[in-house]
Each structure stands twice: as structure tokens, then as C-alpha cells.
Amino acid sequence: MASGFNFPPTGAPNVNSSTPLRPYYGSPLDSPLQQYYQHTSQLEEELSHHSELNSQEAARELLSYGMIKYLTLAIATPFENAQTILQVQYLPNDDGARSSGNDDSSAAEERRDEEFRRAQEEAEEEEYFNSGSGSGGYYSSYSRRGTSAEDFPSSRSNANRLNPSDAVFHERKDIDQSGYLIRADLYDDDSRPAFQLAPIEGGVWKTVTDLVKHPTEGWFSLWKGQYTNWVYEILHLFAQPTLEATLNDTFDLYDDTIPLVHLDRFGPNMATMVTSHLVVGLILSPLELVRTRLVVQTADPTQKKYTGMVNCISTIISEEGVSALWGGVNLVPTVLYHTLTPLIANSIPLVIDRVFNISASDSPLLFSVAELVLETLDLLIRLPLETVRKRLQIQIQAKIPGKRYETVIETRKRPYSGVIDCVYKIIQEEGGQHKRLSSKKSDDGEVTFVDRPWYSSWGVRGLYTGLGMHMTSNLAMFAVGAVTSLQDDGDDW
């Protein structure tokens, strides 16, 4: 019989076959298509395994970087907080102090009257309910029985009673119509709140020591707002490079990892870099607002307005509206700060290389000197903007009045109307030749004032608070770079 067909092989079926419906087929590797599918599945398993390992490694690296960043910020936070307090501190001259006293009374008069009216209404309501509205309350029952105040013993002994002939009762203090004490002089220690620091005339280190020694501040006040600053730095670290890379890919520009000094046409890359900093800075600016307010407010638990980052954001939204987080008087300084800061910082190497024609490889020492000079100019531009921005950030213009915002240092009570007004008022009210330190009383009751140092008479000094600390840091970095370059030159010889 002619065999024109292929019959299955004799013998038992292959029970180990991967195709049970066709048991006489051999190994699945006999089919090229099956080999391809099996190879693909193995590759997918290996890639998924590697991706899991990569994701775990990335998570560990991110966690370690976050911890290192938090510890690094913990070292710098006390000095940054001290600089913030010095920048918002209001140190008026003699004319500014008098005008500020008038401004304080007029600006707070309406609020004090409102508080007085509320307290009076509460007292009348409490008296109404205690008297039972004439229907026989607890205290009225005592009065009907003829019980007088003389039946209750006094809790104050005769030894602790105040002496009306004491000199303190003959001192005259100015009060407003609600009975609140008016501070005629911001340097008066007697009328200063207990939770507030005395005027600080020293630098950053003096501010740190004053905060530590103050009874309501202490060591922990040096790290106010650190968590908020850490969240801002982490979010900015991921958001800004991502947006810059996206803009570069959109406009088909060179990789953002290439330094601008090595590009022939650096303008487009500079534009995407500044744009990414501006957009991310605007989005994250509420965190900067929150951090400034947390740093400047008092640490006294009975007086502080905000308890943390989330509470500060929710309070601002409920009292001032959502627009207060991004808009208002803070919008213009925020735009200027997040535009000029990256623009100037990234333009310094370009100016040294293409304008001064100084190469970092050929003349490292001369390059460091030019860099120091340009960074000093950067400070002269950036510090006034920082000062104005932080003073505007602590201005609260609540639509719904809430708890008062008590500051750890004296600040200007009358708000600034904008950037130009803030700069003008700082020069006008806090500059001059007759500024003085806080006053003190001698044993005979005489008040003496101490003149401020000669450099305090600069009209623009209030705009450059913290300049010495930044200059010291720049000089230290310059010294380290100069020593390193000299060592490299010695090794070459």
C-alpha cells in the first residue's frame, strides 16, 4: 500500500508535551514560532526583574539623598533664619520711630476697637445669663439673701497689696480709647511684649544667640520652617530640570547637561533655563511664603498664629483667599526674584569667558578673582530684592479677621503698597545719621541711648542685611579655590 501520508510515530504519546491536544508532537522547540515566543517571554521576565532592581535602587538613592539634603539644610537653617529675621526687622531712625508710632496707633486702632467691642458684648452676655435675666439666677439668689462681697475673704493678703504711693503709679503712659498702651518709642523696653526680641543691631551670629537666650524661643526656634524648606528644595530639584529638558526637547535644542559656556548659541538654552526656573518658582512660591511666616512668627504657643506648614496654608486660604498664595503684592517680587537669580548666576561664567576672555583652565586664579567680583555684584542686586520680598510676605491683609500675627521681632505695622514703596520707605525711615540702639533705664530713672555704629548711617543699609555673611562665604570659597589652583600649578612643575 502506497503511503502518501505521514502517520504519527508508533509508541506511547509524549505526556510531557506542552501541547496535550497533539501529544505526538515532540518538544515545543521544534517550532521556530514557539522558540520566538519562549525567548520573548524570558526576555520580559529578565527585564521586569531588572526594572524591579532599578526601581528599588532608585528608591534607595532618593531616600538617601533626601536624608542628606535634610541634614544639610539643618546645618544652614539657623543662619538663614537669623538672616530672615534681620531682613524683616524694623529699625527706624528718630523721625521714622515717631511716624511709626503714629502709624501703629492708627493702623491698630480699628482692630483694637473691634476686639474691645467683642469683649464688651461677651461680658454683657455673660452678665445677662448669670443674672438669669431677672428670673432668679445663681448670683441674684445670693443678693436676695443679703449676701455681700464682704462675706467672702480676700485672696490677697495685706503684705502683697500694692502701695499707691509707689513711683510706678505716678508714671504717665499713653493709652488709646480702648485702654491699650501705646508704644511711643519702639526702643522702649518697658512696653515691648514679653515674646518679642529687643532690637538687634548685630549680625547673624548675634541674632542666633539672642534667639537661643530668649525665654519663649530657645534652641528649637533656630529650625523654624526647616521641613517646609526641605519640601520646597526636593520638589524644585525634580520639577525644574524636568521642565527644562522638556522645553529643550520641544524646541530641538542641545542637551541641558551641556554647560552654556560651551555652546555657540547659548540664547535659546538660557531662555528655557530661566523659563523653567520662573515657572517652577511661581508654582512653589506658596511654600516660600509659608516658610517666611513660620520663621518670623513668635514661638510662644499662646501667641503664635500658625502651627505648621499645612495649618499655615489652610489659614491663609480661609482668611486671605487662595489668591494670597500667589498673587497680591507678592507676585511682582516673586517674578523678579525667580527670573534674575538664575539669569545672573548662569551669566557669570559667560561674561568671564566671552567678555573678559579669561579661561578657567589657562588662568584659574584670575578666573576666581573675576568670579568673586561678579558674585559680589550679584549680591548687591539680589539682597535688596530678598529683603523687600520677605517684608511683603509677612504682610497679612485678611478678608476675614483671625488671630493676630505676632512676630518675634519688631516689624513695620503699616503695610507696604509694593516693591518701590518698600524700597523707598526702608531708605527714608530706617536710614539716617541719628539712629540709636534700644534704651535702658539707670537706677535713678534716667533714660540713656547708645549711638549706632558709623556704618548704620547708610541710607541703604536696611536693604543689605546679611551682606557680611554672604561676603564671608564667598571669600572662603575663593580662598579654597585659590589654594587648590596653586597646588595644581605646583604639581605641574
Side-chain angles (χ1 to χ4, degrees):
M1 180 176 178
S3 177
F5 302 94
N6 292 327
F7 294 96
T10 59
N14 188 4
V15 295
N16 296 325
S17 174
S18 60
T19 56
L21 296 180
R22 306 176 69 181
Y24 291 96
Y25 268 63
S27 173
L29 296 179
D30 294 340
S31 173
L33 185 61
Q34 290 178 346
Q35 294 181 19
Y36 170 76
Y37 283 137
Q38 184 177 7
H39 182 65
T40 303
S41 63
Q42 291 177 354
L43 286 178
E44 291 178 352
E45 291 179 359
E46 292 178 359
L47 289 176
S48 62
H49 180 66
H50 287 300
S51 63
E52 290 178 359
L53 292 178
N54 292 334
S55 61
Q56 293 176 359
E57 293 178 359
R60 286 195 296 266
E61 291 179 359
L62 178 61
L63 180 61
S64 61
Y65 177 81
M67 295 178 61
I68 294 174
K69 187 67 175 179
Y70 191 84
L71 295 177
T72 304
L73 291 176
I75 298 175
T77 295
F79 304 100
E80 294 179 354
N81 289 357
Q83 180 183 349
T84 299
I85 292 175
L86 289 175
Q87 287 175 328
V88 302
Q89 180 182 213
Y90 185 61
L91 288 177
N93 51 27
D94 296 343
D95 296 334
R98 285 191 291 268
S99 62
S100 176
N102 298 330
D103 291 345
D104 292 348
S105 59
S106 60
E109 184 176 357
E110 184 177 354
R111 182 184 182 90
R112 291 169 178 172
D113 291 342
E114 179 65 23
E115 293 177 354
F116 179 75
R117 285 193 294 268
R118 290 181 183 178
Q120 191 174 15
E121 292 176 357
E122 292 177 358
E124 292 176 355
E125 184 178 358
E126 184 178 0
E127 182 180 0
Y128 176 81
F129 285 108
N130 288 338
S131 62
S133 186
S135 59
Y138 177 80
Y139 293 104
S140 61
S141 62
Y142 268 96
S143 61
R144 285 196 300 268
R145 292 199 302 266
T147 305
S148 62
E150 297 177 355
D151 297 332
F152 297 94
S154 175
S155 59
R156 180 177 297 179
S157 63
N158 294 330
N160 295 329
R161 288 182 179 178
L162 298 177
N163 184 10
S165 61
D166 197 345
V168 70
F169 289 98
H170 298 281
E171 296 182 2
R172 300 183 61 86
K173 298 291 184 180
D174 296 331
I175 59 175
D176 58 12
Q177 59 183 4
S178 301
Y180 288 89
L181 184 65
I182 298 177
R183 296 182 64 182
D185 190 355
L186 297 177
Y187 300 94
D188 185 10
D189 295 336
D190 295 336
S191 59
R192 183 180 303 112
F195 56 81
Q196 198 171 85
L197 293 173
I200 303 174
E201 190 59 36
V204 172
W205 183 252
K206 177 68 165 53
T207 306
V208 171
T209 56
D210 288 353
L211 284 172
V212 172
K213 295 178 181 178
H214 198 270
T216 61
E217 295 296 322
W219 286 96
F220 289 103
S221 64
L222 298 177
W223 286 275
K224 292 179 183 177
Q226 181 188 348
Y227 177 74
T228 305
N229 190 25
W230 177 77
V231 172
Y232 172 84
E233 293 291 340
I234 293 296
L235 293 178
H236 193 279
L237 174 68
F238 288 99
Q240 187 274 323
T242 303
L243 180 58
E244 183 180 357
T246 303
L247 292 175
N248 289 338
D249 293 339
T250 302
F251 296 101
D252 195 19
L253 300 176
Y254 287 103
D255 189 5
D256 54 284
T257 58
I258 301 177
L260 297 178
V261 70
H262 298 307
L263 298 177
D264 295 333
R265 296 177 63 253
F266 61 86
N269 290 79
M270 178 73 78
T272 57
M273 184 269 299
V274 174
T275 302
S276 62
H277 276 276
L278 175 59
V279 173
V280 175
L282 281 174
I283 295 175
L284 300 180
S285 59
L287 294 178
E288 296 178 295
L289 172 67
V290 169
R291 178 176 179 268
T292 302
R293 292 195 179 184
L294 291 178
V295 170
V296 177
Q297 79 166 351
T298 177
D300 189 351
T302 62
Q303 300 292 336
K304 66 179 181 180
K305 183 180 181 69
Y306 310 113
T307 59
M309 179 181 69
V310 178
N311 176 260
C312 184
I313 295 176
S314 61
T315 304
I316 291 174
I317 294 175
S318 61
E319 294 182 359
E320 306 174 52
V322 181
S323 61
L325 294 174
W326 288 278
V329 294
N330 295 313
L331 179 60
V332 174
T334 299
V335 172
L336 292 176
Y337 180 80
H338 288 291
T339 301
L340 294 178
T341 300
L343 179 61
I344 297 176
N346 290 274
S347 298
I348 290 177
L350 291 171
V351 172
I352 297 176
D353 182 76
R354 304 195 179 187
V355 177
F356 297 159
N357 294 323
I358 300 175
S359 175
S361 58
D362 298 336
S363 304
L365 184 59
L366 191 59
F367 186 90
S368 300
V369 173
E371 191 175 24
L372 177 63
V373 173
L374 293 180
E375 287 179 353
T376 303
L377 294 177
D378 177 29
L379 286 177
L380 297 178
I381 297 174
R382 182 164 46 88
L383 280 182
L385 187 57
E386 284 185 3
T387 301
V388 170
R389 188 178 179 219
K390 290 179 180 179
R391 291 205 179 194
L392 294 177
Q393 284 176 340
I394 62 173
Q395 291 186 176
I396 299 178
Q397 298 179 353
K399 301 175 182 178
I400 302 176
K403 188 175 182 179
R404 293 188 62 177
Y405 180 65
E406 302 292 355
T407 57
V408 69
I409 200 69
E410 183 66 36
T411 58
R412 192 175 189 268
K413 298 300 184 294
R414 184 172 291 275
Y416 303 102
S417 60
V419 176
I420 303 300
D421 179 67
C422 184
V423 173
Y424 175 74
K425 292 297 176 57
I426 290 176
I427 297 175
Q428 182 189 40
E429 298 178 359
E430 301 182 44
Q433 296 288 341
H434 304 288
K435 299 175 73 177
R436 55 190 178 176
L437 291 168
S438 57
S439 60
K440 291 185 178 181
K441 286 186 178 181
S442 58
D443 297 336
D444 55 357
E446 183 180 358
V447 180
T448 58
F449 297 97
V450 182
D451 293 335
R452 291 181 176 176
W454 59 271
Y455 54 83
S456 296
S457 61
W458 297 351
V460 296
R461 179 181 177 272
L463 297 172
Y464 291 100
T465 303
L467 179 62
M469 182 184 69
H470 289 283
M471 286 294 300
T472 303
S473 176
N474 290 345
L475 289 174
M477 295 299 297
F478 168 75
V480 172
V483 171
T484 303
S485 63
L486 290 176
Q487 290 179 350
D488 294 338
D489 293 341
D491 295 339
D492 295 339
W493 282 99

